[in-house]
Amino acid sequence: MATINSNFLKLKAGYLFPEIARRVKAYTESAPDKAARIIRCGIGDVTEPLPSAVRDAMHVAVDEQGERSTFKGYGPEQGYEFLRQAIVDNQFSNLGISADEVFISDGSKCDTGNILDIFGKGNTIAITDPVYPVYVDTNVMAGNTGDADDKGAYAGLLYMPCTAENNFVADVPTQKADLIYLCFPNNPTGAVATREQLTAWVKYAKENNAIILFDAAYEAFIQDPEIPHSIYEIEGAKDCAIEFRSFSKNGGFTGVRCAYTIIPKGLTGKAEDGSDISIHQLWSRRHSTKFNGASYPVQKGAAAVFSEEGKKQVSELISHYMGNAKLFREACLSLGLEVYGGENAPYVWVGCPAGVSSWEMFDKMLHEAQVVVTPGSGFGSAGEGYFRISAFNSRENVEEVCNRLKALIA
Amino acid sequence: MATINSNFLKLKAGYLFPEIARRVKAYTESAPDKAARIIRCGIGDVTEPLPSAVRDAMHVAVDEQGERSTFKGYGPEQGYEFLRQAIVDNQFSNLGISADEVFISDGSKCDTGNILDIFGKGNTIAITDPVYPVYVDTNVMAGNTGDADDKGAYAGLLYMPCTAENNFVADVPTQKADLIYLCFPNNPTGAVATREQLTAWVKYAKENNAIILFDAAYEAFIQDPEIPHSIYEIEGAKDCAIEFRSFSKNGGFTGVRCAYTIIPKGLTGKAEDGSDISIHQLWSRRHSTKFNGASYPVQKGAAAVFSEEGKKQVSELISHYMGNAKLFREACLSLGLEVYGGENAPYVWVGCPAGVSSWEMFDKMLHEAQVVVTPGSGFGSAGEGYFRISAFNSRENVEEVCNRLKALIA
């Protein structure tokens, strides 16, 4: 009798974004004349064309697949050297990271989920609230939690509230944690952590033999030169941190798929017998056994992000999206709403008008303004009373959304 | 204190193919003048160019990414409808499989490994011996086994020996199993299962409430019209089987990455409380949470495999590789070796000369003939005394390997 992983049955409702899609679909079916008016600022998906430098490189790679002499079959599971080296040279120069500490994959969602394969049961998992739902749901699936309560909080997780009081940067906990998820610039709040705050986290992790899972998928959006882009800018982080990065949001790869994970070779975890085991070796073994490398033309495209032309084009994309974020911030501020984020991140985190819940605001904006946002409570109970606007859109749409917001709320 | 998944420490040595790569590297370093002479018939990796129909479709898709109006960001996690429907229409017509039972991914290795996420602990896992190592290693990682013995067999797995006596098709076991891995056409032996044999397996699975994990990655190589290509050709299989398929070996996608898994909606497994849970829903939830869809240009390329031009080109590739397999078979038979497979599969499974072990034969062929094969014992202890030759190569290389084999053994 084949049994299933009953931990899946603890998962609450749908994953947030499918639930949003369901509500949008129901609305467009009930009001088909409004369907064309809908502007989506919900899911954090890029909208602008893939840079030409990337496309050019992908075309060349596809052509290479047409000649026996340049055809590429299975690549290295951990990624091609040309890409691993380009990443180190361009993103981690002077941080002491080597190319063989970079693992190429098809997405950060996969990496942040799959990383749990190599960790033991019984670790105390610290996550922020609000949080990117994948961190929570993958821990539920892995059996690292108990059941959820009425508010959707799972027993056994150490939730670290992020509120206006701490400027949406979690405080170092007073109790012990073993695996700590941090995401800066933050999804969903757009908050960033200072060097001092990250230093406190590294100190905490080292004192507790904990490992920080640092999600830096949005680092390219940092505008403030004082804010660290990588956890490895903090001394000692190589002994206690894994970093996740992606080409999705800088290079516009959400449909093309490429990401990477940095695992320093000195990083260790404890085996049952108390011995120290190399996390790098475990992840390398997992990659070799359960993954077959990212698509070759995709890896060539990703490497082109670091070409002169590619860097320029990515910089223009970032400027475009950050210009959108600025417009959203200004519009919401002009309406007297509480506004966070959007200065070093493509997400603006906005307080709902008094007495309005996150999902009420979602439904109101969908039904009355045909604008899709993401309800803050979808990211955790501490997100209640907020909504997230994504700056990934055309300028025209952003200006229209600002006008509709003003008409709706004013 | 972050603990690791100690099950990883049970894994024996390296995964087979990295071990082969290590020996080849050591040899070329010791005999650099011979490096250029090496012909690789080890890992089952395609060598011929990606069909032009596929490349053309990928070029179009890359260009679409350059226009805002046709740009594709995140796609459906389960795959684009155009590809799911094309698969059903071309590969499962009249078998009652619907498009939403097809889950697109970036590889069968990933799918066959990740599928264990949705199953419970304590299932009895039945695998053949010899076997594709990924099935075993992913079960070790998931904690479904005990330790390995001296021969590399893991406690707790139900091994089903495949030998010359049963023509390398496992007999239905006399004891109960819960999850059963079957691969036909078989990697590594090239064996195929008849309709009667598969019918017996489906009957066994239904009687035991077991689920068959049917790996059909090599179905395109079947030449005998009597041999089923899909487990769903057997009545009742939709109640007890998951099927894995890939574009790697038919379309030449080993470097491009695309595969798919069929999960019929009626398939269920047991929860801890004894209730029946839809496997389709569990896998869909896993896909949504831990995967972000396969690359859009890659999915467009995969769909082109089913275009008129694509079908013709794939058929030519299959003919080419099967022609190679025929030459290998004939050469080995002429040397008086025991020969299996290679008639409905791209693998030829050859008995070593009397008294020579699999790894001895591997080393002998590498050092004396500069030919890389795969040692049969690398696939399990029942593979001892055999080696696998892969037909994925140019005709020129295959003819040269046949000549070298004759010089080596004659």
Side-chain angles (χ1 to χ4, degrees), chain A residues 14-24 43, chain B residues 77 285 288:
Chain A
Y15 177 65
L16 172 62
F17 296 108
E19 172 61 20
I20 290 174
R22 196 190 62 73
R23 292 198 187 206
V24 172
I43 193 165
Chain B
E77 285 97 345
R285 184 65 193 254
S288 295

Side-chain angles (χ1 to χ4, degrees), chain B residues 89-101:
Chain B
D89 293 345
N90 287 279
Q91 302 284 82
F92 297 94
S93 61
N94 304 319
L95 295 182
I97 300 294
S98 63
D100 61 356
E101 293 173 322

